[in-house]
Each structure stands twice: as structure tokens, then as C-alpha cells.
Amino acid sequence: MRIYLQGGKEFFCSKFTSKVWFKRILQYLASPIKNIYDMKITHRQAKELVNLSCSIVIGRHDQYAVWAILQSTIFRAIESGISEVIEECILAYPSIIWASDGFYLFHSAISQRQEKIYNLVYQMSSYKTFIASHVNHDTKENALHIAAKLSPPHRLNIINGAALQMQRELQWFKEIETNLVQPACKNAYNKAGKTPRMVFTDAHKDLLKEGQEWMKETASSSTVVATLMVTMAFVVAFAVPGGNKNEGSPVYLDRGAFTLFVISDAIALFSSATSVLMFLGILTSRYAADDFLYTLPKRMTIGLVFLFLSLAATLVAFSATLSLVLQDKVTWIAAPLLVITSIPVGLFGVLQFPLLIKLVYSTYGPSIFHKQNKRMIH
């Protein structure tokens, strides 16, 4: 709708413009919402299909066929990590959990590193008690021996970086060692005469070496940057902008920008020094396998956080210095400086923050092992 004004001018009604923008927003949001709805519908239909298939198979009253079909279905679901299929099969035919001597289900969940299936089966108290002391008759291996082996490549590669991959492997090993197997199983020997710890060391020696190299390269590069920050912040502290008066006090001592400069420089100095110490702690580490679980990721996280803080503080100090020097002649310098200063900080965030988030989440975030469905507890 158009409204004409005197002089031949015209403009679109604001109400019409609002409707157009509202329609565009709805079109933008409609597709993701529809995709989520379709996924939920597909998930529900898949569960109904599994239930119907189980009912048909069980209704044939052929125990051999029931075991063969459901067992094959469960094994495929383990490889794909589809815990819902396993849940429905066990609820429909509980005896299927004892397929392949009752050991294969948990053995496969651990060897395939399928935490959802592990969490699901872990809640079944009677089955968990059986697995805690069960030893495979052929290989003489218990559940901890299985957890000590290297993950399949398709599961290992979902984690970026050898150090984080090593951390995830240790998380699995510690989970089985602490919360599942009995104490006697921790030092039990398999058919090859190896304890679970020996199996873990042999299976992960290449991954451990890659993790060491990744940690050293990252720490070395970051140490160089942090050292430059320390040097620059230390020198600038004694070469204040504007110089000093005859009695030694800074010329711009009474200006607010000078206070900002001093605080920013101090933060940059102490942050970069802390970052250097953390990275040196990584470089001088013994690089034992257990260090990748908590110690090394913690040091890397602290080092990256303080390195980012020192970079931001250094740029703020630089902006405050230029503002002091040029404020009398270039009064509009503050706004461009703010924009320019934010560019390096933003680039550092884009390049390093994904790594930092992964380190924090994998080290301090929620565990991948947790209860997820109360229907399976019995």
C-alpha cells in the first residue's frame, strides 16, 4: 500500500514493510524447524518399525530364528552406535542380551567405543555384575583388556588432534578400570601374558608419540609468541608514552588513558609470563600416558587463555598510547583504534578458540559416561 504526500513524494507504509520482514524471518526459520520436525518423525517411525519387526519375529515362535535375527540386528546396531535399536530389542526379548555367551554385547560396545550403548547396558545391574568378573575363555581377556586396545579408526578420528584422541582413550580405560571390573581383573594376564596396562601401552605407543609431537609443536610455537609479549610488555613499562618530567613522574600521569595504559601493560606482562611458564611446563613434561588425561590438557588450556589475555591487553595498551600521543591533534582517533585493535584479537579467537573449547570441554566438561534411560535398569 502506498501513501502519497504533497509534492508528489511517496513512501511505503511501515506496517507493510514490517510484514515483509516478518515473512522473510519466517521463511528463514521455517526450513530448520521443518528439518527438526522431520527428524523427530523419522526417529519415531523407526522405533515403531523396530517394535513391529520384533513382534513379528517373536510371534513366529521359532527360538532359533528369533536369536539369529535379533542378534544380527543388535550387532549391526552396535557398529553404528544406535542405542535405541538395542533398547527396543532387549525390551521385546530380554534373553537376547545373553547372546554369544553374554559377553559380546558389552565387549563390542567397549571395543567400538560406543558410549551410548555402554551407558545403556551399564544400567542393567545383573548383567553388569556378570561382566565385571567375566573372562573370555579363548583369549583370557576381561573387559579392561578390551578397553586397553586401540579404538577403530572411524571412532578415533571423530576427535581432532592426537593429544585429545589419547585423552579419550584414557577416559575409556579409566572408566572400565574404576567403575566396572573387579580389582583382581586389573592385573590379570591374558593369553599372551599381558596385563591390561601392558596391552594399553603396546596398542597406544604410536598415538602417544603423535600426541607428544603435537603438544611439543603447539607449546613451542606458543612459547615464542608469549616470550615476545613478555619482552614487549616489560620494555614498555619503563618507556611510558610522553616520557617523564624532570622529577621523574610521567607527563600524562593525570590522564585516564594513561591509567588504562598502565593497567593493560601490567595485565599483559603477568599474563604472558604465566603463559610462558605453562608452555614450558608442557615442554619439560615427562609425557607419560596418564599425563594426557588431565595434566597436559590443563596446562595447555591455561597457557592459551593467558596468551589470549596478554594479546588483548597489549593491544589495549597500544591503543591507549596512541590515544595519549595523538588526542590533542586527532580527536577522532579513538573509534578507528577500537576497530583496528579488535581485528587481531578476533583473528586469534577464530584460529585458537576452537582448540581451546575442545580442550576445556573434553577435560572439564560432562563425562561421556552417564545414565540415559531408566527403562533399562533391572
Side-chain angles (χ1 to χ4, degrees):
M1 182 178 65
R2 293 180 177 178
I3 299 177
Y4 293 90
L5 300 178
Q6 293 180 356
K9 295 182 178 180
E10 61 181 34
F11 64 95
F12 285 100
C13 177
S14 60
K15 185 177 180 180
F16 177 78
T17 305
S18 301
K19 288 183 178 180
V20 172
W21 280 106
F22 183 71
K23 183 177 179 181
R24 291 180 179 178
I25 293 174
L26 287 180
Q27 290 176 348
Y28 179 77
L29 296 176
S31 181
I33 293 174
K34 185 177 183 302
N35 291 337
I36 295 174
Y37 177 77
D38 292 340
M39 289 176 61
K40 288 184 174 293
I41 293 296
T42 302
H43 182 265
R44 183 180 301 175
Q45 291 175 346
K47 292 188 69 174
E48 292 177 355
L49 180 61
V50 172
N51 287 329
L52 180 61
S53 301
C54 290
S55 300
I56 294 175
V57 171
I58 296 173
R60 297 173 61 183
H61 303 290
D62 185 347
Q63 185 175 1
Y64 177 80
V66 172
W67 276 73
I69 295 174
L70 293 187
Q71 182 174 321
S72 175
T73 302
I74 286 178
F75 294 166
R76 290 292 182 89
I78 292 174
E79 294 177 355
S80 303
I82 307 175
S83 59
E84 292 84 358
V85 173
I86 298 175
E87 178 184 356
E88 297 301 327
C89 289
I90 294 176
L91 289 173
Y93 196 78
S95 299
I96 197 63
I97 196 173
W98 302 108
S100 296
D101 218 10
F103 187 62
Y104 188 86
L105 178 60
F106 219 74
H107 162 268
S108 297
I110 297 173
S111 63
Q112 294 291 328
R113 298 299 193 269
Q114 298 290 354
E115 57 271 9
K116 290 184 179 180
I117 298 173
Y118 173 86
N119 294 332
L120 183 69
V121 182
Y122 182 84
Q123 299 172 73
M124 295 182 286
S125 57
S126 58
Y127 184 68
K128 183 178 67 175
T129 303
F130 168 76
I131 289 297
S133 58
H134 189 278
V135 177
N136 188 284
H137 297 292
D138 297 329
T139 61
K140 304 300 180 183
E141 293 181 340
N142 56 49
L144 193 56
H145 283 100
I146 304 302
K149 298 179 180 179
L150 189 65
S151 296
H154 71 281
R155 294 297 298 170
L156 190 65
N157 292 332
I158 63 175
I159 308 295
N160 294 328
L164 294 180
Q165 290 175 352
M166 189 68 185
Q167 183 188 50
R168 179 57 60 88
E169 292 290 275
L170 284 165
Q171 289 173 347
W172 269 96
F173 186 81
K174 293 295 183 181
E175 166 66 19
I176 306 301
E177 182 182 41
T178 305
N179 298 324
L180 184 65
V181 299
Q182 296 180 350
C185 297
K186 298 178 182 179
N187 295 315
Y189 292 94
N190 62 6
K191 191 174 182 179
K194 295 182 179 181
T195 64
R197 176 58 67 174
M198 293 178 183
V199 174
F200 185 91
T201 302
D202 292 341
H204 293 84
K205 57 184 179 181
D206 293 334
L207 184 61
L208 178 62
K209 185 178 179 180
E210 293 177 8
Q212 292 174 355
E213 294 176 354
W214 183 87
M215 277 286 180
K216 287 181 179 179
E217 292 176 359
T218 305
S220 298
S221 302
S222 302
T223 301
V224 174
V225 178
T227 303
L228 291 174
M229 292 287 183
V230 171
T231 305
M232 183 170 53
F234 184 81
V235 171
V236 169
F238 295 96
V240 296
N244 300 318
K245 299 178 183 179
N246 294 332
E247 62 273 15
S249 60
V251 174
Y252 298 122
L253 182 60
D254 297 330
R255 293 195 180 184
F258 184 81
T259 303
L260 178 62
F261 161 78
V262 172
I263 295 174
S264 301
D265 187 65
I267 293 175
L269 177 60
F270 295 128
S271 299
S272 56
T274 303
S275 181
V276 169
L277 291 176
M278 288 295 104
F279 292 131
L280 286 178
I282 294 175
L283 293 173
T284 57
S285 175
R286 58 182 183 142
Y287 290 102
D290 289 341
D291 291 341
F292 285 86
L293 181 62
Y294 181 76
T295 304
L296 291 176
K298 179 187 69 174
R299 293 176 182 176
M300 181 64 72
T301 300
I302 296 174
L304 289 175
V305 168
F306 278 98
L307 181 60
F308 176 79
L309 184 60
S310 65
L311 175 62
T314 300
L315 292 174
V316 171
F318 173 76
S319 300
T321 302
L322 287 184
S323 179
L324 285 170
V325 175
L326 301 177
Q327 188 174 12
D328 294 336
K329 295 184 178 181
V330 187
T331 56
W332 48 266
I333 194 65
L337 281 178
L338 182 62
V339 176
I340 296 173
T341 301
S342 63
I343 294 176
V345 178
L347 288 175
F348 184 87
V350 171
L351 296 175
Q352 297 298 330
F353 255 47
L355 172 61
L356 182 59
I357 291 174
K358 290 177 183 177
L359 285 170
V360 173
Y361 187 81
S362 62
T363 306
Y364 302 101
S367 173
I368 60 175
F369 307 104
H370 57 275
K371 293 181 179 180
Q372 64 184 43
N373 196 324
K374 295 182 179 179
R375 290 198 301 163
M376 297 299 297
I377 300 178
H378 57 274

